[in-house]
Amino acid sequence: MGDSSTSKIKLYSFYRSSCACRVRIALNLKGIDYEYKAVNLFQGEQFSPDFLKLNPLGYVPVLVDGETTLADSFAILMYLEEKYPQYPLLPEDPNKRAINYQAANIVCSSIQPFQNLAVLKYIDENVGSGESIHWALTHINKGFAALEKLLAKYAGKYATGDEVFLADLFLAPQIQGSITRFNIDMTSYPLLLRVYKAYEELSAFQDAMPEKQPDAPKDIKVVS
């Protein structure tokens, strides 16, 4: 691969992946041009030998920037934040910065892994058909309830104030997926619903949503 200053960043992504969506939002906010490399998770392309060289776990997203290859949304976001400091994703205040980390980790550790495609498939095959929905909803509701309480002291127009920061990048795709995939009733989470509505006004967020991706099916459900 060529030098990162002359070669375009590549993002290996799947339109419906909330993890990849976080990175797409960050790239948009920072104004970084990138090449979208579609990986069809439904067809198992993440298990191809070529992709496993990029990420042995077989997950998206993967970001390639010159000689750097990263496979984990949190690691990718921290890399982008340090290498491309335009439009900071983290506030200067250490307390608010920690709250952003905490909110992001509730999503990426206590919600999203439990609704991962491979996990849901395993539950349906080994526990019972349809049991995966109850499993996913249980963890989504638990996580959303925690986020409502955590962010009550900090939220403004967005999750931790009146500026977009890291927590928002995790919340937007998680809420979008919870609505479209699991039909969750967001009226139980008024704070999360309010900030989600605010994201609808931001092109960096909307251009990163599943329906805007080149590999999205034409009949994809759109949240309005």
Side-chain angles (χ1 to χ4, degrees):
M1 295 182 184
D3 182 80
S4 60
S5 64
T6 58
S7 60
K8 183 184 290 188
I9 286 177
K10 295 181 178 65
L11 178 66
Y12 291 80
S13 177
F14 180 57
Y15 75 96
R16 207 180 75 171
S17 167
S18 62
C19 299
C21 187
R22 302 164 191 162
V23 177
R24 298 195 298 257
I25 295 171
L27 291 166
N28 291 344
L29 287 171
K30 290 179 176 291
I32 300 173
D33 190 27
Y34 66 95
E35 180 182 353
Y36 189 102
K37 306 284 284 187
V39 181
N40 192 320
L41 304 189
F42 293 150
Q43 295 180 4
E45 292 179 357
Q46 69 273 33
F47 302 121
S48 69
D50 286 342
F51 187 78
L52 290 175
K53 291 178 183 177
L54 299 172
N55 183 6
L57 283 173
Y59 293 150
V60 295
V62 171
L63 183 130
V64 178
D65 184 13
E67 298 296 331
T68 299
T69 299
L70 294 170
D72 176 84
S73 66
F74 212 112
I76 292 170
L77 291 172
M78 293 300 97
Y79 169 80
L80 292 174
E81 181 70 350
E82 293 182 11
K83 184 169 183 181
Y84 303 96
Q86 65 270 27
Y87 202 108
L89 301 178
L90 292 168
E92 293 184 3
D93 177 70
N95 180 57
K96 188 177 287 188
R97 182 178 289 225
I99 295 302
N100 272 270
Y101 287 139
Q102 186 176 348
N105 273 293
I106 288 175
V107 173
C108 71
S109 298
S110 299
I111 303 178
Q112 191 278 329
F114 296 102
Q115 62 174 61
N116 183 283
L117 188 64
V119 172
L120 299 184
K121 181 180 179 182
Y122 181 90
I123 291 173
D124 278 338
E125 291 177 350
N126 293 276
V127 179
S129 179
E131 289 298 318
S132 64
I133 300 300
H134 175 71
W135 166 270
L137 287 174
T138 296
H139 292 285
I140 292 170
N141 281 305
K142 181 180 179 181
F144 279 3
L147 286 164
E148 281 279 314
K149 294 177 180 178
L150 172 68
L151 299 177
K153 297 180 181 178
Y154 303 95
K157 185 173 183 179
Y158 306 113
T160 58
D162 293 328
E163 295 180 79
V164 168
F165 287 120
L166 185 73
D168 299 294
L169 277 62
F170 283 75
L171 288 176
Q174 179 59 56
I175 296 171
Q176 189 274 346
S178 298
I179 295 171
T180 58
R181 293 179 60 194
F182 302 105
N183 296 311
I184 195 163
D185 180 9
M186 290 302 299
T187 59
S188 299
Y189 311 106
L191 187 153
L192 296 182
L193 180 58
R194 176 171 59 79
V195 298
Y196 182 71
K197 291 297 183 181
Y199 303 146
E200 294 179 346
E201 303 173 5
L202 303 176
S203 60
F205 280 72
Q206 293 310 300
D207 290 344
M209 289 296 108
E211 66 272 15
K212 297 290 186 69
Q213 306 317 302
D215 54 335
K218 295 181 180 180
D219 60 348
I220 185 174
K221 181 178 179 181
V222 178
V223 179
S224 60

